[in-house]
Amino acid sequence: HVQLVESGGGSVHAGGSLRLSCEGSGRTYVKWCMGWFRQISGKEREGLATIDSRGITAYADSVKGRFTVSKDNAKNTLYLEMNTLEPEDTAMNYCAAFQGRCGGTSASKLNTHTYTYWGQGTQVTVS
């Protein structure tokens, strides 16, 4: 049974930082594609960052240079380091995963429809 649980969200001032974590259980995720997504109120869910089994990452233009995705296979945990946060980053953030290789392009890697399993989300509020 695959389960993803996010943590680390909260409220920060503009320019601040947060580190989100996503702990996976039920199996190992070494050969899975994993990613972070967010849903801003009133908008569609969008991809932020992904990482594949080889550690290759991809980022949305809106967060490139500010956010860093990483994972610790020994802990079955995915991370998202969020720096220089802006009010526009206020959103519910989700981690997601699917078994297999991430897509070949950034667009496919960040496509929400590709991902099979989703966490419940953690709220990030920037004021």
Side-chain angles (χ1 to χ4, degrees):
H1 175 64
V2 175
Q3 186 174 17
L4 303 173
V5 179
E6 302 97 335
S7 62
S11 297
V12 296
H13 292 301
S17 299
L18 284 173
R19 187 193 197 201
L20 305 184
S21 299
C22 172
E23 184 173 357
S25 61
R27 62 171 305 124
T28 60
Y29 296 84
V30 175
K31 294 187 176 181
W32 287 48
C33 179
M34 302 188 76
W36 286 98
F37 298 78
R38 72 182 178 191
Q39 188 159 19
I40 298 171
S41 181
K43 296 186 177 181
E44 293 187 357
R45 194 171 296 187
E46 61 176 343
L48 298 179
T50 68
I51 186 166
D52 70 10
S53 60
R54 299 163 294 174
I56 296 175
T57 59
Y59 295 92
D61 289 342
S62 59
V63 304
K64 199 173 294 182
R66 299 189 298 126
F67 292 8
T68 302
V69 60
S70 61
K71 63 176 181 172
D72 185 332
N73 289 327
K75 295 182 178 180
N76 266 359
T77 301
L78 179 73
Y79 301 100
L80 184 68
E81 188 74 35
M82 311 168 77
N83 296 314
T84 320
L85 284 161
E86 305 165 350
E88 293 74 22
D89 294 315
T90 295
M92 183 67 78
N93 287 258
Y94 302 89
C95 72
F98 70 90
Q99 189 173 13
R101 300 183 67 175
C102 294
T105 65
S106 291
S108 61
K109 290 176 182 180
L110 296 170
N111 187 335
T112 60
H113 300 294
T114 306
Y115 291 76
T116 309
Y117 299 98
W118 292 81
Q120 292 300 305
T122 184
Q123 176 70 33
V124 170
T125 302
V126 186
S127 60

